Amino acid sequence: MSKDRSLLMQECSDALPERIVIIMGLTLTEKILKAHLVDGEYIKGQEIGIKIDQTLTQDATGTMAYLEFEAMGVPRVKTERSVAYIDHNTLQSGFENADDHRFIGSAAKKHGIYFSRPGNGICHQVHLERFGIPGKTLIGSDSHTPTGGGIGMIAIGAGGLDVAVAMGGGAYYITCPKVVKVNLTGKLRPWVAAKDVILEVLKRLYVKGGVGKVIEYVGEGVKTLSVPERATITNMGAELGATTSIFPSDEITKQFLKAQRREDDWTPLSADEDAVYDEELNIDLSELVPLAACPHSPDNVKSVEEIGKLKIDQVCIGSCTNSSLLDMLKVAHILKGKTIHPDVSLAIAPGSKQVLNMMAENGALATLIDAGARILESACGPCIGMGQSPNSKGISLRTFNRNFEGRSGTKDGQIYLVSPEMAAISAVNGFLTDPREIGDMPEFKLPEEFTINDNMVVPPASVEEMDSVEILRGPNIKPYPETSPLLETIDAPVSLKVGDNITTDHIMPAGAKILPLRSNVPKISQYCFAVCDESFPKRAERLGKSIIVGGSNYGQGSSREHAALAPLYLGVKAVLVKSFARIHRANLINAGILPLTFVNEADYDKINEGDELLLADIRQAIADGKSELIVVDKTNGAEIPVLCELSGRTKDIILAGGLLDYTRESMK
Ligand code: MIC
Ligand code: SF4
């Protein structure tokens, strides 16, 4: 028996019922989750509450999260480490962003949270470098929080309100996940990248393939991947809809943390050899080829050969998926002594101040500038449509993780998601190029020591000083929308009917015009569903209360709770779909909006936009714990069975009118 397994048996025998005392090996996921279990029984498919060690927020979801935290009345965070990052809204094209930064900075200082100032980098990149710790749990108000899985954390994306509750010491609730084993063998061939690994997984599992699951990477191939490469893979695991993804914490993790002068944060962690998994996937790294996700979905994956010699207009390198020093060194090597193609605009955003600093020190930055790259600040930038929107029908290669329609800011933009290697060589050639054409690849090594300078991280005020910190609130910051307990009966028309794979970028678009309104729900709600139907907000307001009908995987993508808060503000009482994405469903419940799914997916066709729907005595039914309900379409008489599967806790949240009301009530 391995050492960590016997340790865990000891821990588990204190914390868990006897019958769980282990007779078979555990996955790494199970080890960490069981060690953090504070509510429920560890039974797959059932709701469990886990203790959260660390939290992170970013500014686009952060203002709301801190308003919610304030509303709970907890003076200081109860986590081991909470960090507030500013990385999304850094254009400051009006007063709004700057005001939000000041608000978040002051709230962080007062409530015991570290504040990573604008310019310090993208939350996930910086958290991996400076704060993440193997074996700890992290939730973040951003769907790419699983980046932390690259160093063996259970790191999960969540809504802002869930993060606020965790900061207040509350448990975080998830459906106890299945665990998928991804067995990596072999070694990546030259110029084939970690990005190609996750694109291959997306090609096989699709954007819904990870729902309710943790993707755990094991096998000999793991040892051939550096921490930044592992983090690319766990980061983009979000696109599978997975709860999270995780790698073991091994000697490579130790080396990375040592180079960050954080060796003491390291612990060895891995699954037991006889661990039992729910599903298994085998990937021979040496068989992979360079891949690209074609418009408009991260799972629309093809090889360069299949796509052909595509002429391109733009290349963007960066984002929390591919902005590490390692990525930048590869890009600099490819661009050295070259000039980008005259028809291509190349923008590069290094992921953090540390990365940018080191590139400045080692000359890589000069190489990029020399080649004609447009250097952007260390932030999300074009990934969330904050500038660099491509030209009309423009073809843009991006090293990012999402290529949903309109997300780039250009509705007919054609976005391909690729590795930094492919992006760089294509920028030189002017067309999509297989990076293997570059020829010999040198060995790219991470430095023995990174340049450490945390001067852009402001520590919180001490317990003695915190009361005197003033919260700085700008005029754009409006309170959380009004909520009300669940109605006795919902009798309301369908204000919108949409199809499959509706993303949160459809529901609540971002970009330079809309993102600055994240602290102002009344204003931002006027752009709700702008990509699908610009008339929706006015119609919903006119109807007073209404229901949205959708297809499968509704709400995939971001963790933005605004995709629930805007509908809440517009009077949406229920969302009836074929299936939900995990975080969005949780956000709807947190906002007090009823999440319903069709028992028979074919019934989707029976409802039309404008139909009057009736959910009679719904409050009583939910209070009684009924999960199968009937929706009557009063317009055509159809009686449609629907499911509303709620646990004891989520039932109470819905009855109370949302998590904020529920938390306030339970604190009384
Ligand atoms: C995204 O990549 O879509 C975002 C912007 O980072 C979101 C968060 C947000 O909408 O603020 C996410 O991934 O959760
Ligand atoms: Fe920022 Fe893009 Fe990463 Fe979201 S996916 S956190 S917008 S870099």
Side-chain angles (χ1 to χ4, degrees), residues 58 60-61 88 142-144 384 402 407 518 558-560:
Q58 41 90 336
T61 53
H88 280 61
D142 192 282
S143 63
H144 291 104
I384 190 58
R402 290 185 174 148
R407 181 173 161 104
R518 283 287 182 93
S558 152
S559 69
R560 62 189 70 151

Side-chain angles (χ1 to χ4, degrees), residues 58-62 87-89 122-124 140-145 157-158 238-239 320 380 383-385 401-402 404 407 504-505 508-511 515 518 556-563 583 587:
Q58 41 90 336
D59 49 316
T61 53
D87 55 359
H88 280 61
N89 276 315
I122 305 174
C123 54
H124 309 303
S141 59
D142 192 282
S143 63
H144 291 104
T145 304
E239 273 47 72
C320 55
C380 300
C383 180
I384 190 58
N401 46 40
R402 290 185 174 148
F404 303 143
R407 181 173 161 104
T504 49
D505 279 292
M508 198 59 263
L515 209 54
R518 283 287 182 93
Q556 69 161 320
S558 152
S559 69
R560 62 189 70 151
E561 59 189 345
H562 296 77
I583 309 179
N587 282 340

